[in-house]
Amino acid sequence: MNDNEQSASELWLEVRAPGFRNLPDPDRRAIFDFAFLWSLFEAQIMSNFARADRIRERLDRWAADGTLEADLYDAELAYFRNRYFSDGALTYHFPYLNLRPSDHPDLVQAVIEGKNSDPRDRMLALLMIVWRLRNNLFHGAKWAYQLRDQRENFIHANSVLMRMLERHGQLG
């Protein structure tokens, strides 16, 4: 199949999935890439079982052994801060993360607002945002607005996942 041909599943989605037909190819690519990167992250870093508390435990381990390297993710954190906090207030996007109590919503908010700059907490906030993007995509919430305006979210989430895999995965 060449680059101009569509797969049967992509054609099916165009006909049946709300808004998919209008989703530009770069948006589709970022979302498709995210699905694969998340799967690899979960297999390589989370021992095939990601959960908010297990993500926090992994970050705590990296912080303790000096391999957290939070500064490497400043660009992605800056993007999400700009998306979710502007002009001294949370933006209308923030509630759509659908943070659950186990997702450390107060910590995420404090980091997004710039009130907490602890390296471990910055990383936890960043990964909780990626975690919520994953859950909102895989559990259907993103279909409520037909996956519109998500490309940059997934591009930045993909960058986080790739960098984590490079630093902490067991890639061969």
Side-chain angles (χ1 to χ4, degrees):
M1 176 164 46
N2 67 41
D3 289 340
N4 295 328
E5 293 180 30
Q6 290 181 302
S7 68
S9 58
E10 195 169 4
L11 290 170
W12 186 93
L13 286 165
E14 280 195 1
V15 171
R16 291 172 180 82
F20 189 84
R21 175 188 311 266
N22 299 324
L23 203 59
D25 285 338
D27 294 48
R28 292 179 188 189
R29 182 82 251 162
I31 294 166
F32 289 156
D33 291 350
F34 179 80
F36 282 102
L37 287 166
W38 179 267
S39 179
L40 189 58
F41 170 82
E42 191 157 356
Q44 294 277 316
I45 295 179
M46 300 307 303
S47 302
N48 298 315
F49 188 56
R51 233 179 29 212
D53 61 331
R54 295 195 70 226
I55 292 169
R56 186 197 69 243
E57 290 166 4
R58 188 61 43 113
L59 287 169
D60 288 344
R61 189 173 323 136
W62 295 336
D65 70 18
T67 62
L68 189 62
E69 304 176 296
D71 294 345
L72 297 176
Y73 303 86
D74 283 349
E76 291 81 12
L77 182 58
Y79 165 79
F80 287 114
R81 277 183 167 154
N82 288 333
R83 179 168 178 82
Y84 297 120
F85 189 75
S86 180
D87 297 324
L90 294 172
T91 67
Y92 73 94
H93 295 291
F94 188 77
Y96 292 103
L97 282 172
N98 297 318
L99 291 164
R100 306 292 195 255
S102 63
D103 300 332
H104 310 282
D106 293 337
L107 181 142
V108 172
Q109 183 173 339
V111 168
I112 291 299
E113 291 175 345
K115 295 176 181 175
N116 180 343
S117 61
D118 177 77
R120 179 272 200 174
D121 292 350
R122 290 188 348 247
M123 289 300 299
L124 183 55
L126 188 57
L127 278 178
M128 287 300 100
I129 291 168
V130 173
W131 168 247
R132 291 314 310 165
L133 290 174
R134 175 254 185 227
N135 288 340
N136 293 341
L137 176 67
F138 293 158
H139 296 292
K142 294 239 173 264
W143 287 102
Y145 40 89
Q146 302 175 351
L147 298 171
R148 284 189 311 267
D149 302 320
Q150 296 299 304
R151 181 185 328 159
E152 289 299 316
N153 286 346
F154 286 110
I155 286 172
H156 286 87
N158 292 346
S159 292
V160 168
L161 293 172
M162 287 184 291
R163 198 161 309 116
M164 292 228 153
L165 284 159
E166 288 169 358
R167 302 229 170 323
H168 304 286
Q170 295 126 29
L171 304 173

